Amino acid sequence: MAKKKEVKSLSEVTVRFAGDSGDGMQLTGTQFSDTTALFGNDLNTLPDYPAEIRAPAGTLYGVSGFQLHFSSSDIYTPGDNPDVLVAMNPAALKINLKDLKPSATIIVNIDSFDAKNLKLASYASNPLEDDSLQGFNVIPVPITSLTAAALEGSPLSTKEVTRCKNFFALGMMYWLYGRPIEATLSWINQKFSKKPEIASANAKALKSGYFYGETTEVFATSYTVEPAPLPKGTYRNISGNQATAYGLAAASVKSGLPLFLGSYPITPASDILHELSKLKNFGIKTFQAEDEIAGITSAIGASYAGSLAVTTTSGPGLALKTEAVGLAIMTELPLVIVDVQRGGPSTGLPTKTEQADLMQAIYGRNGEAPLPVIAASTPSDCFYMAIEACRLATKYMTPVILLTDGYLANGSEPWRIPHVEELQEIKVKQRTEKEGFYPYSRDENLARPWAVPGTPGLEHRIGGLEKSHIYGNVSYEHENHDFMVRMRAQKIKNIENDIPDLEVRFEQEGDLLVLGWGGTYGAITEAVLCARKEGLKVSQAHLKYLNPFPKNTAEVLKKFKTVLVPEINLGQLSRILRAEFLVPVVNFNKMKGLPFKASEIEAEIMNLLGGKQ
Amino acid sequence: MANNIDSNEVKLTAKDFVTDQDVRWCPGCGDYSVLAQTQRVLPDLGLPKEKIVWISGIGCSSRFPYYMNTYGFHTIHGRAAAIATGTKLANPELSVWVATGDGDLLSIGGNHFIHTCRKNIDLKILLFNNRIYGLTKGQYSPTSEKGKVTKSSPYGSIDFPFNPVTLALGAEASFVARALDRDPKHLQYVIKRAAEHKGTAFVEIYQNCVIFNDGAYSSLSEKDTRDDNVLYLEHGKPMIFGKNKDKGIIVDGTTPKVVSLTEGKYSVNDLLVHNEFDKSVVLAYLLGQMSNHAEFPTPVGIFRQISKSTYHEDMEKQIQEVKAKRGEGDLEKLLFSGNTWEVK
Ligand code: SF4
């Protein structure tokens, strides 16, 4: 009979699961997140996996990790430095050690610390036996052999049994943080309903891990992290890509337009295609095209025919779509382009995050080719920004680029689910009146009429050649081109009257404003809150509209002595701000394929305000 | 139903399909004939104008939509088939046509072309093949013959050309045909057959560019040579050609051969009989290749027409199946699906 163990209460914890890419770490992390979300904590996650699908086992470059930060109060980031590392092999230990808090707990699977794996991880000696882990609270657990022992008599092969070890580790972690195992048990039963032997083995491994924590002396203490006091409502955990897909589906319902997605698989955007492909009962048509160009051009063809048309991609794909984006601008057809940014240039770092497509999105086309560019700031915000992209596209008859990034796409957070009636309607006019119809006449928003094939009496021709104002015939007239170029620019510029002002959090003027955009929202928010706790006067603003900017942007910028702009690029927004508003802004940049840590930004704030670092 | 679109028949004339735009091709260009023949055929389809869409890429022939009084979209180089795909899938009620050239469809747009054929997207593709780049003023194209001297190949092109018919057959197009700009009646017939086909209908039209490649097809169109050089493919008929109908095609093993019907060795009964609907692609492929070799006449007409489900039909079917299985999409349910919890 086990002694009653001590239970300590914590306000927040950051955990990282790490192992081979075949060890199921993403799944383990996702399960822990879902259970933690169900438990009522606020949380934020950072999956980090290699580009190779199954890199050779035991290698440093094959390590896959999943970090999550959960708390009894609001949190904004996946946590800077883990309090706990679960390392399934020496490579996972080696890669992740440098990120840990000085006194972090390390749970290691000692079964994998054999000569071969140590060598693969380039360890000259076993770190568990020398003093290289001094200061850490190392908990060695023979996870592989304990799993095998628990599953003795199972009909599964040795290899299959070994693969259950991640559930053993998960069970142990559930016990350690006082989480119930039921949600994962029912997930296992559902997931492996067709393979009952595997279901029961995984379930058994999970329970054994849990009981191992409870009954053995290995862990002296377990922890609780109380639920966070979130606003009232029904919640679910949601990733950025799923939120984007749901936002697009919602926009289709709210606009009454059928959704057409033309897309080509690309990391890290493919999950949007996957999600929407499941939703055929919404009448959604997904077309997996032969290439990126056909992805967008099929969407343009569908938009021409009256659908709510979308293409989803990442940076290299956006580059390929460039010419077609110009066509949509020239023919003034509504289109939503989602760019889930990843590390570039070229193939770059497909599975890592970056914000370096901003210039490409705003300027990357031949000719004067403006379009609205908007960006989501958190995983769940992708839902609302996807709807917003659809609203702008159909209202102004223009392609719109929605920027998200790998961190938002794969990261997740609890989301208070909105009811359908809370969502804004998207009013769309498709022209049917014959009287006075001209393809390039304009309404009060400077949008041309959307006259879709099939409408009697409105037969007309559009195309990529410059068209005459109002009548829409091919025109090489100098004056007309000058007029039309300015008209298209004005149409986009006017959108500033239709979007919210840039909001400043805390002092409305002062010494320092931290201004970000996109996926850096969480890290900046946490950094600013921490700095303010230290007594520093620092304000925060976050741009969700990058083109056009909110109308009050210039005004906001001028109210602060210093504007700090942290970006995961070499200063793209900073350049645009300087060019547009003639204000000096201070860059803060990092390009490691990773999101900012809040502490990095906080240090920069301290630095600028002359505080201690 | 003279078309494959469900619609009440309307009575229109060729004139109804003429726009108010001046046609700007060079005088004598073969494009004029294709435009005229198409405008003559469209009324026969019985479709109202608003249900017809012409989509083109870039090149001389891609100006086509501006001259056709239907819905029209002059897009970007090479992408017409992909754009037309989106239009057709978004609204299967439309009759969607692609006007394109050899550079547009087979060079920059080659990928979209083969995949459109493979997926059996219900598009009617008219390839204006003049074997040259006209709009950019005379460079060799992917269908120019090897050795062709042009501005970009002053010492002769070293490219092997594509044969559009065999390319389409290889890409599993369900309707593959060829016609000549200079034979208006036959061109009309082929276009009409294409319109009636369900699935990707590909028509290669030999089109004369009077400015940069004049006479490329003269042996097929001049009175004194054409009968000896053109083989009209007709379903169920033996393959006879020649001014005096005195030559025919036989197959020896897998090799086609031209034989004389006057020397007593072969009679009509020995000749190959055309089967447009052959399940096997072999015969159509053999015929397609004949235009690569000078000793053979150039076959025109319908090489092959097969029936298979179209992409939009399968797409609609799948949507209906999923609806039947999972019920009509309910957004509220979707948003509240998965693991949820209440915060009170
Ligand atoms: S250049 Fe040739 S193909 Fe082009 S319009 Fe003139 S004749 Fe016709």
Side-chain angles (χ1 to χ4, degrees):
Chain A
M1 188 66 202
K3 297 187 280 200
K4 189 111 180 92
K5 292 186 181 180
E6 193 193 352
V7 179
K8 261 196 200 156
S9 175
L10 301 172
S11 61
E12 57 170 319
V13 180
T14 299
V15 175
R16 187 182 291 176
F17 295 93
D20 257 331
S21 40
D23 280 344
M25 292 297 99
Q26 299 305 319
L27 191 151
T28 311
T30 310
Q31 282 302 312
F32 196 94
S33 308
D34 286 352
T35 293
T36 296
L38 276 171
F39 186 77
N41 295 124
D42 196 6
L43 70 90
N44 204 295
T45 69
L46 175 64
D48 182 28
Y49 50 91
E52 294 75 19
I53 302 303
R54 287 275 187 276
T59 56
L60 292 167
Y61 57 88
V63 172
S64 169
F66 190 105
Q67 181 167 320
L68 98 153
H69 180 195
F70 58 104
S71 146
S72 58
S73 60
D74 272 9
I75 49 167
Y76 303 95
T77 71
D80 287 0
N81 305 96
D83 301 290
V84 184
L85 170 70
V86 179
M88 299 301 279
N89 67 9
L93 177 66
K94 181 138 199 193
I95 292 276
N96 292 293
L97 193 61
K98 61 180 185 316
D99 296 336
L100 303 183
K101 285 201 182 129
S103 58
T105 296
I106 305 174
I107 300 172
V108 286
N109 177 14
I110 47 169
D111 288 333
S112 64
F113 280 66
D114 56 14
K116 183 179 156 217
N117 280 316
L118 287 167
K119 194 167 165 231
L120 280 168
S122 314
Y123 272 121
S125 69
N126 189 340
L128 304 178
E129 288 161 7
D130 58 28
D131 55 4
S132 57
L133 300 180
Q134 230 175 26
F136 294 110
N137 171 26
V138 180
I139 303 180
V141 183
I143 296 177
T144 314
S145 43
L146 285 172
T147 307
L151 297 182
E152 214 182 273
S154 146
L156 300 185
S157 68
T158 315
K159 201 171 153 200
E160 285 170 317
V161 165
T162 305
R163 287 185 61 182
C164 297
K165 65 181 183 296
N166 60 328
F167 282 102
F168 187 94
L170 181 61
M172 230 164 34
M173 292 299 283
Y174 279 163
W175 176 80
L176 193 57
Y177 289 100
R179 331 258 96 181
I181 61 173
E182 281 68 29
T184 296
L185 281 178
S186 71
W187 179 87
I188 289 172
N189 284 330
Q190 217 175 17
K191 175 85 184 171
F192 301 104
S193 63
K194 297 227 169 71
K195 294 176 189 151
E197 329 75 62
I198 301 215
S200 87
N202 281 331
K204 201 155 178 207
L206 181 75
K207 287 183 196 159
S208 307
Y210 191 92
F211 297 142
Y212 179 80
E214 193 175 55
T215 53
T216 65
E217 298 296 323
V218 174
F219 302 99
T221 316
S222 77
Y223 303 91
T224 66
V225 178
E226 292 300 316
L230 298 169
K232 255 181 21 188
T234 306
Y235 282 73
R236 67 181 290 168
N237 199 31
I238 198 151
S239 72
N241 273 345
Q242 193 175 25
T244 303
Y246 284 8
L248 294 169
S252 166
V253 170
K254 285 288 173 176
S255 64
L257 294 174
L259 186 70
F260 180 95
L261 172 70
S263 185
Y264 186 74
I266 186 170
T267 304
S270 304
D271 277 341
I272 306 173
L273 169 63
H274 304 162
E275 282 297 329
L276 288 173
S277 302
K278 290 184 210 159
L279 304 181
K280 297 236 171 341
N281 55 333
F282 285 78
I284 292 172
K285 293 178 179 170
T286 53
F287 178 65
Q288 183 175 315
E290 57 271 22
D291 57 31
E292 290 283 354
I293 298 173
I296 185 170
T297 48
S298 62
I300 290 173
S303 164
Y304 175 57
S307 288
L308 181 62
V310 180
T311 187
T312 48
T313 190
S314 185
L318 184 60
L320 282 164
K321 294 177 195 295
T322 298
E323 187 195 12
V325 178
L327 177 69
I329 290 172
M330 197 64 162
T331 52
E332 304 189 38
L333 285 168
L335 175 69
V336 171
I337 302 151
V338 181
D339 174 7
V340 185
Q341 300 167 94
R342 69 188 216 189
S346 185
T347 311
L349 303 172
T351 59
K352 312 289 177 196
T353 198
E354 205 161 280
Q355 293 186 297
D357 292 350
L358 182 62
M359 288 284 189
Q360 178 177 223
I362 298 183
Y363 300 115
R365 287 166 292 283
N366 64 307
E368 291 289 346
L371 52 65
V373 177
I374 64 178
S377 50
T378 70
S380 65
D381 189 42
C382 293
F383 176 80
Y384 299 101
M385 292 314 273
I387 297 177
E388 178 66 348
C390 296
R391 179 185 77 92
L392 293 175
T394 49
K395 181 167 177 182
Y396 295 91
M397 292 293 284
T398 178
V400 175
I401 294 180
L402 167 59
L403 294 172
T404 72
D405 61 45
Y407 162 62
L408 295 178
N410 291 318
S412 64
E413 63 176 352
W415 176 43
R416 195 195 67 78
I417 311 167
H419 289 285
V420 173
E421 74 263 11
E422 295 167 36
L423 304 173
Q424 56 178 342
E425 296 293 329
I426 301 179
K427 286 199 203 86
V428 178
K429 296 195 286 258
Q430 286 180 343
R431 172 113 189 182
T432 50
E433 318 88 63
K434 264 163 85 167
E435 238 22 73
F437 168 71
Y438 294 106
Y440 277 77
S441 61
R442 292 178 189 278
D443 67 8
E444 65 282 7
N445 302 314
L446 303 183
R448 71 174 196 91
W450 196 2
V452 308
T455 315
L458 301 189
E459 296 83 19
H460 65 285
R461 273 64 57 192
I462 57 170
L465 284 171
E466 184 63 279
K467 296 294 184 292
S468 65
H469 178 45
I470 300 177
Y471 303 103
N473 291 321
V474 174
S475 168
Y476 300 103
E477 290 280 322
H478 312 294
E479 295 305 320
N480 179 71
H481 180 58
D482 187 89
F483 178 87
M484 292 295 273
V485 167
R486 291 172 199 276
M487 173 64 85
R488 288 186 286 267
Q490 191 61 49
K491 177 175 88 167
I492 302 307
K493 175 85 173 128
N494 285 359
I495 293 175
E496 68 181 18
N497 300 316
D498 194 15
I499 58 176
D501 270 354
L502 178 60
E503 240 179 82
V504 178
R505 216 171 150 200
F506 311 118
E507 291 79 17
Q508 298 298 302
E509 51 193 304
D511 288 337
L512 181 61
L513 173 74
V514 186
L515 177 65
W517 69 276
T520 53
Y521 174 77
I524 294 175
T525 305
E526 197 166 309
V528 167
L529 290 175
C530 289
R532 291 183 65 85
K533 260 197 211 144
E534 302 277 316
L536 296 176
K537 282 220 158 72
V538 48
S539 304
Q540 182 193 359
H542 207 73
L543 283 165
K544 297 174 74 165
Y545 296 83
L546 285 315
N547 191 48
F549 285 120
K551 240 183 6 196
N552 66 333
T553 306
E555 207 181 305
V556 166
L557 291 174
K558 283 177 184 142
K559 285 197 172 134
F560 291 86
K561 238 190 242 157
T562 306
V563 177
L564 172 66
V565 183
E567 290 181 86
I568 317 232
N569 60 42
L570 291 184
Q572 300 193 5
L573 175 64
S574 312
R575 274 169 180 252
I576 299 171
L577 291 173
R578 289 187 198 111
E580 287 275 319
F581 304 112
L582 301 174
V583 290
V585 297
V586 179
N587 288 4
F588 182 57
N589 310 104
K590 161 170 158 176
M591 303 224 57
K592 298 186 176 176
L594 289 168
F596 279 116
K597 289 180 179 169
S599 56
E600 293 166 338
I601 298 173
E602 192 190 347
E604 191 60 20
I605 293 171
M606 301 269 189
N607 188 22
L608 287 170
L609 291 178
K612 56 179 191 314
Q613 282 210 22
Chain B
M1 194 172 77
N3 57 71
N4 69 38
I5 309 282
D6 232 348
S7 165
N8 291 334
E9 300 231 346
V10 292
K11 293 241 176 314
L12 296 169
T13 66
K15 273 218 181 86
D16 291 309
F17 290 97
V18 177
T19 64
D20 60 358
Q21 300 295 298
D22 296 329
V23 183
R24 296 202 189 173
W25 290 310
C26 307
C29 174
D31 292 357
Y32 283 95
S33 167
V34 186
L35 178 63
Q37 306 332 316
T38 310
Q39 285 168 336
R40 250 164 236 158
V41 170
L42 288 186
D44 295 349
L45 306 184
L47 277 178
K49 287 193 292 186
E50 70 268 14
K51 290 220 165 170
I52 302 173
V53 185
W54 280 88
I55 295 180
S56 64
I58 293 294
C60 290
S61 57
S62 286
R63 297 296 173 94
F64 200 90
Y66 291 122
Y67 310 136
M68 192 59 85
N69 194 4
T70 61
Y71 279 91
F73 196 170
H74 177 214
T75 71
I76 43 177
H77 205 16
R79 315 302 167 205
I83 289 174
T85 293
T87 302
K88 181 70 191 183
L89 299 185
N91 184 359
E93 288 290 293
L94 300 171
S95 172
V96 184
W97 295 70
V98 173
T100 181
D102 35 322
D104 195 50
L105 187 74
L106 302 178
S107 199
I108 190 167
N111 199 33
H112 307 309
F113 174 54
I114 55 176
H115 289 280
T116 299
C117 294
R118 168 175 75 84
K119 294 181 177 182
N120 203 28
I121 313 276
D122 191 10
L123 304 178
K124 314 302 148 211
I125 302 174
L126 304 190
L127 166 65
F128 296 55
N129 182 7
N130 56 13
R131 294 192 173 154
I132 197 80
Y133 283 113
L135 196 66
T136 49
K137 304 206 164 106
Q139 300 81 9
Y140 61 97
S141 89
T143 55
S144 297
E145 59 280 14
K146 194 166 195 277
K148 185 165 199 75
V149 174
T150 70
K151 278 189 196 146
S152 58
S153 55
Y155 308 110
S157 149
I158 54 173
D159 286 28
F160 291 104
F162 261 143
N163 177 330
V165 163
T166 52
L167 179 66
L169 289 169
E172 305 284 336
S174 53
F175 178 98
V176 179
R178 182 188 285 145
L180 304 166
D181 58 355
R182 294 289 200 79
D183 187 345
K185 278 266 137 17
H186 184 254
L187 177 56
Q188 284 176 29
Y189 167 75
V190 170
I191 292 174
K192 188 149 178 242
R193 285 284 304 272
E196 288 162 359
H197 176 67
K198 230 173 56 148
T200 308
F202 171 67
V203 181
E204 180 190 23
I205 301 168
Y206 282 174
Q207 173 247 321
N208 192 37
C209 169
V210 285
I211 305 295
F212 297 109
N213 201 14
D214 195 21
Y217 304 112
S218 58
S219 68
L220 309 180
S221 55
E222 295 310 316
K223 239 195 184 129
D224 47 337
T225 55
R226 67 185 178 202
D227 295 338
D228 284 329
N229 289 314
V230 179
L231 169 68
Y232 283 89
L233 299 173
E234 286 178 81
H235 179 68
K237 301 259 173 77
M239 295 183 195
I240 301 178
F241 67 105
K243 209 176 268 169
N244 306 314
K245 303 249 173 264
D246 56 353
K247 286 182 268 192
I249 305 289
I250 62 158
V251 188
D252 180 5
T254 56
T255 318
K257 273 189 181 154
V258 174
V259 296
S260 159
L261 297 176
T262 53
E263 287 166 9
K265 199 169 166 205
Y266 294 99
S267 79
V268 171
N269 298 332
D270 300 313
L271 299 183
L272 201 53
V273 173
H274 188 46
N275 180 5
E276 287 174 356
F277 313 112
D278 202 345
K279 279 219 179 74
S280 156
V281 75
V282 174
L283 174 67
Y285 200 87
L286 283 182
L287 293 169
Q289 278 198 316
M290 280 169 36
S291 56
N292 297 358
H293 305 286
E295 66 265 35
F296 290 109
T298 294
V300 299
I302 289 119
F303 286 76
R304 187 167 183 242
Q305 178 176 23
I306 54 168
S307 155
K308 58 179 181 182
S309 65
T310 64
Y311 196 90
H312 71 265
E313 285 171 341
D314 288 344
M315 187 179 236
E316 297 288 337
K317 202 170 117 204
Q318 202 169 51
I319 287 173
Q320 293 317 322
E321 280 167 5
V322 177
K323 278 184 179 174
K325 212 162 129 197
R326 296 179 52 188
E328 194 78 35
D330 178 335
L331 184 59
E332 183 89 2
K333 257 202 209 145
L334 174 71
L335 298 182
F336 284 78
S337 65
N339 280 330
T340 62
W341 69 95
E342 293 296 326
V343 174
K344 296 205 173 88

